[in-house]
Amino acid sequence: MGAWRGAGEVDGYRRGSDDGHRGGRGVAAPLRTARAGELRESDAGREVRLAGWVATIRDHGGVLFVDLRDASGIVQVVVDPVLNPAAAELGRELRDEFCIAVGGLVRQRPPGTVNPELPSGAVEVAAAEVMVLSPSDPLPFRIDDRADVDENRRLEYRYLDLRRPRMAANLVARSKAIGAMRTTMLAQGFLEVDTPTLVKSTPEGARDVLVPSRLRQGSFYALPQSPQLFKQLLMVGGVERYYQIARCYRDEDFRSDRQIEFTQLDIEGSFWDREGVFAALEPVIVAVTRELRGVELTTPFPRMTHAEAMRRFGTDKPDLRFGMEIVDLGEAFAGTGFQMFAGALASGGIVAGINAGAREVSRSVLDGFVERAKGLGAKGLVWMVVEADGSVRSPVAKHLTPEELAAVTRALGAGRGDLLLVVADRPKVTRTVLGALRIDLGRPTGHDRLEFLWVIDFPVFSVGEDGSLAPEHHPFTAPYRVEEMRDDPEHALSRAYDLVVNGVELGSGSERIHDPRVQREVFSVLGISDREAESRFGWFMRALRYGTPPHAGFAVGLDRFVMVLQNEPNIREVMPFPKTQTGYDPMTDSPSLVDEFQLQELGIDLRPDVRESLAGEPTPT
RNA sequence: GGGGGCGUGGUGAAGCUGGAGUUCACGCCGGCCUGUCAAGCCGGAGGUCGCGGGUUCGAGUCCCGUCGCCCCCGCCA
């Protein structure tokens, strides 16, 4: 680019300067000698060159103010037509978000015109020269944090959205987080190793993102759900301490904290157990939090077993920033005549409740809670309000004895005005429903406080609605005892753990199986036949036979972590180019149809019904 | 797969009980203005009320369907 030299035109835009004529002597490189947001009183008297974007223009007819923004921040540029008529003339042609360069003198602002809102507000740059590097069309939305722009529109113009201070700050935070992770991992002697992104599909857990092979038509790669098996192979390979900032892909429905592709800090270590993992990871969490929040966390983080988390909070990722714990009310209703409670207790269920505290709630809000509980799978929800006179108002009060009502309020520590929510159902349903209501009712907004927590001793299997068992973790997780896993699968515990902050699952990990015989047994208990295990994981099981060290590891969700630390409500705000809930990118119009030839090369034919549904769609030629 | 919320000039909103595309702020275009800082003042342009159907003399408004975005349940080993 010919900026600052050559003729006085850049892409047809005239340059204004104080030499009184156009096309005058050029100005030598570099384009920029200072950063806008960094200028301070101590810079007064400096001749600087700045380059950036027009944040706002304030044209007083005479003097013209331009807020010049670059990645470092904003500084006010003053163009004075008396001192500099050519620059002023050009300045009048400037519009929002033009990319410009300015040369001039940094000076203290006149008394009374200092802007305390701006870090650079004590100074301004008196423009001697202004040059348009690149003009801008009128914007689809304002570059401003204060506007709440439709997200589709933001994604369509993500490059403009990223100019907003909030998004720019999130990019910086993300970069700092990765930096702190690398620094901490390197200091601990970890080796950064990258692993393939075209891998073997192992239909297990999440849906794979598939990539068709051209050279082997009909065969598919998968994008990795995580580098799980590769990092274990690195342990077999003698790496001992591995980490990677890894991109992972899971083709499941989107949520506010889930995207089809996301980033993890992935670590693995040999001769490690859980304690080794925690000891290596806590400094990383501390460093990232220090970097992004300026907060020094206390270690070690508290721990809680999965069973305790479920019992007290109804979830495997408890938010410890508030109480409202789930209280078992079995004792209070031990001999109750109230059919709903008695029935639940008799059939192996439980009665439990939470004290939502004193709050004014209308009947419609209470009905909303009942609907929510039903939506979550409970048969119903009983609400009780402790009245000013100590009596209990509830739709079921007449079915309960005064002793029972007293026992409930006592068990829940209820005082005047408190709202109590009670569920009677199977234990798991009861706890998860109350756990969800607890979050609905008690969760603090934002993430100003941080409550980290290790959740340990996950069960090997989770019990489904129908009583069926589903593995809670990937099949390479070591159980405490294989025999228990086989003989009493419902109660078997695994050497798996999660890291939780403020009710958000930040990541999970486990001690791995390093004995091929145990691995085979685990496959068998999981219902994976020898033959199936061989075809899907044979290559991996073979590796385990060559002196595999005991090892363990973890993966931290980078996007979620930054989301929490930046106090963002969803993961998209901390991802540079995220997709919508339906996996669509409005900016690039992706995913898109491909042309017939591309499909042919891959040996792929679209199903007739799919073809049919696409009729009328614009197709590539 | 299911439930809910939202969809109105370029942006953000209001639009009540169905009565003229009405209103507000920002942006845009033009003009004025020499110390503002989301500058100010005057004037102007700009909309198939997501799309389709229905009810009605009449629909942004009511009903049905559909599409898109967001949130939740399922799903996410």
Side-chain angles (χ1 to χ4, degrees):
Chain A
M1 302 280 264
W4 294 109
R5 54 190 154 74
E9 298 209 349
V10 174
D11 292 342
Y13 276 77
R14 279 173 291 121
R15 199 180 82 220
S17 69
D18 64 351
D19 54 11
H21 61 280
R22 287 175 198 152
R25 188 171 49 84
V27 181
L31 206 51
R32 179 161 72 177
T33 59
R35 306 218 307 159
E38 292 169 355
L39 294 175
R40 296 290 181 275
E41 267 184 288
S42 57
D43 294 301
R46 267 180 74 192
E47 285 282 351
V48 296
R49 292 184 200 130
L50 300 172
W53 290 265
V54 175
T56 58
I57 303 167
R58 293 175 294 279
D59 182 351
H60 286 251
V63 68
L64 182 75
F65 299 98
V66 177
D67 281 353
L68 180 72
R69 185 195 67 242
D70 65 18
S72 67
I74 285 178
V75 73
Q76 171 167 285
V77 173
V78 188
V79 185
D80 188 330
V82 174
L83 300 173
N84 203 331
E89 190 189 328
L90 181 80
R92 302 243 131 67
E93 291 174 23
L94 296 179
R95 295 292 179 273
D96 282 352
E97 298 303 313
F98 273 32
C99 184
I100 64 170
V102 170
L105 182 70
V106 181
R107 68 184 185 205
Q108 291 204 347
R109 292 195 186 191
T113 66
V114 167
N115 182 356
E117 303 287 308
L118 275 184
S120 69
V123 296
E124 61 192 11
V125 175
E129 297 174 285
V130 176
M131 179 163 58
V132 173
L133 302 174
S134 184
S136 169
D137 283 352
L139 300 160
F141 51 81
R142 236 183 122 94
I143 308 298
D144 192 322
D145 282 343
R146 283 164 285 209
D148 186 18
V149 182
D150 175 66
E151 195 169 346
N152 231 15
R153 185 68 50 154
R154 290 174 55 200
L155 292 183
E156 186 180 350
Y157 295 93
R158 191 58 154 184
Y159 39 85
L160 296 180
D161 193 35
L162 294 177
R163 291 184 190 172
R164 296 164 61 226
R166 169 181 172 183
M167 293 306 292
N170 286 346
L171 288 188
V172 170
R174 193 182 170 96
S175 172
K176 280 184 175 171
I178 293 174
M181 286 173 175
R182 284 222 161 87
T183 305
T184 314
M185 297 319 288
L186 288 172
Q188 296 188 67
F190 280 72
L191 194 68
E192 181 163 0
V193 184
D194 53 326
T195 51
T197 50
L198 294 174
V199 303
K200 184 181 175 69
S201 172
T202 54
E204 200 74 40
R207 215 171 274 121
D208 279 329
V209 178
L210 293 178
V211 180
S213 162
R214 174 181 61 86
L215 295 174
R216 293 170 180 268
Q217 292 191 351
S219 290
F220 294 80
Y221 302 101
L223 302 181
Q225 294 183 23
S226 77
Q228 183 59 36
L229 293 181
F230 286 97
K231 68 176 175 177
Q232 290 192 241
L233 294 179
L234 289 172
M235 298 303 104
V236 180
V239 168
E240 293 193 13
R241 293 291 179 272
Y242 146 90
Y243 85 99
Q244 181 183 189
I245 310 291
R247 190 56 62 84
C248 306
Y249 306 84
R250 293 176 195 174
D251 191 4
E252 295 295 339
D253 287 358
F254 289 59
R255 282 294 168 77
S256 60
D257 61 354
R258 273 170 22 197
Q259 285 262 316
I260 189 170
E261 60 178 313
F262 58 99
T263 307
Q264 290 190 334
L265 168 67
D266 195 43
I267 75 169
E268 194 78 11
S270 295
F271 315 114
W272 255 7
D273 55 9
R274 181 177 77 199
E275 300 308 317
V277 174
F278 288 7
L281 214 43
E282 285 183 350
V284 180
I285 303 300
V286 167
V288 172
T289 304
R290 182 191 301 126
E291 195 64 36
L292 268 59
R293 279 291 188 88
V295 168
E296 200 62 32
L297 297 175
T298 309
T299 55
F301 298 154
R303 303 169 185 203
M304 187 182 295
T305 64
H306 179 272
E308 184 180 356
M310 291 305 297
R311 184 170 54 75
R312 292 171 58 192
F313 302 99
T315 174
D316 59 4
K317 46 183 183 195
D319 189 336
L320 297 187
R321 290 174 298 169
F322 65 105
M324 211 187 285
E325 291 189 26
I326 296 169
V327 175
D328 193 297
L329 300 173
E331 233 170 88
F333 296 113
T336 187
F338 181 39
Q339 190 46 43
M340 187 177 160
F341 292 172
L345 290 171
S347 60
I350 60 168
V351 181
I354 56 174
N355 181 348
R359 56 181 71 213
E360 294 287 322
V361 280
S362 65
R363 184 58 194 250
S364 64
V365 169
L366 290 168
D367 289 344
F369 295 153
V370 175
E371 284 313 302
R372 169 80 168 147
K374 287 179 176 168
L376 291 163
K379 287 191 274 294
L381 173 77
V382 171
W383 55 261
M384 302 179 183
V385 175
V386 182
E387 300 284 26
D389 62 3
S391 68
V392 173
R393 176 165 61 96
S394 170
V396 305
K398 58 179 176 291
H399 301 295
L400 301 172
T401 67
E403 291 72 30
E404 285 166 351
L405 289 172
V408 174
T409 51
R410 199 181 323 116
L412 286 167
R416 303 291 146 88
D418 283 357
L419 167 67
L420 315 179
L421 300 176
V422 179
V423 174
D425 214 308
R426 282 169 295 159
K428 194 189 165 193
V429 172
T430 304
R431 295 212 163 87
T432 48
V433 168
L434 286 171
L437 288 168
R438 171 181 177 269
I439 291 293
D440 289 350
L441 287 160
R443 180 172 226 169
T445 53
H447 293 283
D448 293 323
R449 236 178 78 213
L450 299 169
E451 293 289 345
F452 286 91
L453 168 75
W454 295 110
V455 178
I456 60 173
D457 294 348
F458 273 67
V460 176
F461 296 100
S462 59
V463 186
E465 286 286 306
D466 51 356
S468 68
L469 296 177
E472 182 82 2
H473 288 271
H474 60 66
F476 317 104
T477 301
Y480 272 97
R481 299 205 320 278
V482 196
E483 315 80 63
E484 182 187 40
M485 184 179 167
R486 190 191 316 117
D487 303 335
D488 187 14
E490 221 169 299
H491 297 107
L493 298 181
S494 69
R495 301 176 187 269
Y497 32 81
D498 276 7
L499 177 60
V500 172
V501 63
N502 296 1
V504 176
E505 180 193 322
L506 269 196
S508 58
S510 62
E511 295 175 21
R512 324 296 187 189
I513 298 166
H514 67 280
D515 180 338
R517 290 167 305 177
V518 173
Q519 184 67 71
R520 189 168 296 109
E521 274 190 75
V522 166
F523 279 140
S524 132
V525 178
L526 292 176
I528 302 172
S529 71
D530 279 359
R531 233 185 81 218
E532 196 183 350
E534 180 56 33
S535 85
R536 274 156 63 178
F537 304 112
W539 55 282
F540 177 73
M541 309 251 292
R542 189 170 317 118
L544 294 183
R545 299 207 301 256
Y546 294 93
T548 301
H551 58 288
F554 202 86
V556 181
L558 171 77
D559 315 280
R560 282 186 189 174
F561 195 12
V562 176
M563 168 182 89
V564 169
L565 292 179
Q566 290 296 100
N567 232 325
E568 289 291 359
N570 70 67
I571 205 170
R572 298 181 302 279
E573 300 295 332
V574 299
M575 299 181 107
F577 298 100
K579 293 167 180 52
T580 69
Q581 205 166 59
T582 52
Y584 182 68
D585 176 5
M587 182 175 68
T588 63
D589 183 32
S590 160
S592 58
L593 303 178
V594 296
D595 77 33
E596 198 58 38
F597 178 69
Q598 283 179 286
L599 290 177
Q600 259 179 37
E601 276 196 316
L602 296 166
I604 291 176
D605 243 343
L606 296 182
R607 254 177 23 214
D609 61 311
V610 173
R611 233 171 241 291
E612 183 65 29
S613 73
L614 292 174
E617 295 278 319
T619 46
T621 44

